[in-house]
């Protein structure tokens, strides 16, 4: 094939690939899902078809993958004034990048599923200068050896008439790829070292409050303590113990029988399987239901409000998942 015919074939190959690359994901890095279960050759073929991202450096330096096969990778580049060094010829880094790409990808084509590589050594010999007058060059990389731990390859940089501009060789380390960590399902709670332990309420009569939260709301008295030096007593109640369950800390400061609620406090919320039944029980136990059971304004969730002996508001929210759990029935 004549030089003109070879160059025409090269340009036709570019024109054939351009729509595939433009329609694909563009430059970037493939996601684990895009390459999972693929051999190295299958990954390179998917890139060639525009199904996975191509290397961003290819866009930066104006070259593209044009052919792959077992132990073979061919890149085609278009030298331009943007690639010149101060002497007016194409920078050696451009040579090296095309050759390195061909060498590495040739090795990549021989990687089985779950195996990867990294370049450990690259040797480039430039034998002739390139100027933008050279329309296209190709870096043709071929594997010389591929073992369990080491692979080597050789490559040549040539133009359409076969003129050699540079040649190179490399050595790659071959290894097992780490298994990608699967993403947790959406709404999976994040692991954290922090825990919600308790909410503290100041009360005017400790025993009265203990009776309300245990006998009316069905909590369990977890523990109590007294501090004579600072004149206060504590009682912790809840549907389970710290750290697995949050508790309510009832604090009685000796001699203080009431507090001003203020406008900042909102409420405590409890999930119950049946708000109507829970309110009936609270009323029967002497509790104060301040908002009768019914749908929340503007919604369908059934709620109710009660107050404890000190006036603290408690919201009851109907939640079917608590039907078999502890707490109000």
């Amino acid at each position: 094939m004549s030089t003109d015919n070879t160059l025409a074939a090269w340009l036709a190959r570019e024109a054939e690939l351009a729509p595939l690359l433009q329609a694909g994901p563009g430059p970037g890095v493939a996601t684990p899902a895009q390459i999972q279960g693929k051999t190295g050759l299958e990954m390179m073929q998917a890139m060639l078809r525009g199904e996975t991202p191509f290397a961003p450096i290819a866009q930066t330096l104006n070259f593209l993958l044009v052919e792959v096969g077992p132990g073979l990778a061919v890149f085609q580049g278009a030298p331009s004034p943007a690639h010149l060094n101060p002497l007016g010829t194409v920078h050696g880094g451009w040579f090296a990048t095309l050759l390195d790409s061909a060498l590495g990808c040739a090795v990549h084509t021989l990687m089985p599923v779950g195996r990867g590589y990294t370049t450990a050594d690259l040797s480039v010999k430039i034998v002739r200068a390139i100027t933008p007058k050279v329309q296209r060059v190709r870096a043709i990389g071929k594997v010389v050896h591929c073992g369990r731990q080491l692979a080597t390859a050789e490559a040549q940089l040539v133009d359409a008439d076969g003129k050699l501009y540079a040649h190179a060789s490399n050595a790659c380390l071959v290894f097992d790829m780490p298994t990608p960590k699967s993403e947790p399902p959406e709404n999976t709670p994040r692991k954290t070292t922090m825990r919600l332990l308790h909410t503290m309420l100041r009360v005017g009569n400790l025993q009265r409050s203990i009776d309300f939260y245990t006998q009316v709301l069905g909590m369990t008295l977890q523990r109590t303590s007294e501090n004579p030096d600072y004149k206060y007593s504590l009682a912790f109640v809840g549907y389970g113990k710290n750290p697995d369950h949050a508790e309510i800390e009832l604090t009685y400061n000796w001699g203080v029988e009431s507090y001003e609620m203020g406008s900042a406090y909102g409420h405590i919320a409890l999930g119950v399987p049946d708000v109507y039944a829970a309110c009936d029980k609270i009323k029967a136990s002497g509790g104060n239901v301040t908002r009768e059971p019914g749908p929340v304004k503007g919604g369908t969730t059934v709620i109710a409000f009660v107050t404890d002996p000190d006036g603290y508001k408690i919201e009851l929210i109907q939640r079917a998942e608590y039907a078999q759990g502890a707490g109000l029935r």
Side-chain angles (χ1 to χ4, degrees), residues 26-261:
V29 179
T31 65
Q34 289 175 316
I35 61 176
Q36 185 176 10
K38 287 185 172 65
T39 65
L41 180 58
E42 290 169 338
M43 292 181 200
M44 299 305 299
Q45 290 170 334
M47 185 185 301
L48 198 57
R49 293 191 298 267
E51 297 171 1
T52 57
F54 59 87
I57 189 66
Q59 185 177 58
T60 302
L61 296 184
N62 197 23
F63 67 91
L64 76 162
L65 178 68
V66 294
E67 183 182 349
V68 291
L72 171 72
V74 181
F75 284 84
Q76 184 166 301
S80 78
H83 305 144
L84 299 182
N85 61 29
L87 298 178
T89 59
V90 172
H91 196 284
W94 194 82
F95 287 73
T97 303
L98 264 70
L99 288 165
D100 181 47
S101 300
L103 292 164
C105 289
V107 171
H108 197 176
T109 65
L110 296 184
M111 294 295 103
V113 176
R115 297 281 283 172
Y117 75 98
T118 188
T119 300
D121 175 78
L122 174 66
S123 177
V124 177
K125 302 293 188 292
I126 298 174
V127 300
R128 185 176 281 109
I130 295 178
T131 71
K133 292 181 180 180
V134 179
Q135 293 188 54
R136 296 292 187 275
V137 292
R138 280 192 171 185
I140 304 169
K142 297 180 180 180
V143 172
V144 176
H145 165 77
C146 187
R148 283 283 304 167
Q149 296 179 311
L150 186 70
T152 60
E154 294 177 344
Q156 293 186 339
L157 190 67
V158 299
D159 65 11
D161 65 3
K163 186 182 296 181
L164 180 68
Y165 290 88
H167 57 92
S169 62
N170 76 344
C172 295
L173 300 178
V174 180
F175 47 82
D176 290 326
M177 293 292 288
T179 303
K181 295 181 179 179
S182 58
E183 292 293 325
E186 194 173 344
N187 297 326
T188 299
R190 293 186 304 166
K191 291 184 178 179
T192 176
T193 56
M194 292 188 179
R195 292 290 186 273
L196 179 61
L197 297 180
H198 64 260
T199 296
M200 189 271 274
L201 301 178
R202 294 184 175 89
V203 301
N205 184 309
L206 187 58
Q207 189 58 52
R208 180 183 64 186
S209 294
I210 292 173
D211 291 344
F212 172 80
Y213 284 96
T214 58
Q215 297 175 19
V216 177
L217 296 187
M219 297 184 186
T220 300
L221 178 62
Q222 305 296 341
R223 61 195 179 279
T224 61
S225 66
E226 292 193 357
N227 191 316
D229 291 337
Y230 291 93
K231 295 181 172 55
Y232 67 83
S233 302
L234 304 178
F236 291 84
V237 296
Y239 296 116
K241 292 184 177 181
N242 281 161
D244 296 327
H245 296 269
E247 301 172 339
I248 294 177
E249 175 189 343
L250 304 173
T251 299
Y252 171 60
N253 293 300
W254 296 359
V256 181
E257 297 183 355
S258 63
Y259 295 90
E260 293 182 6
M261 290 292 108

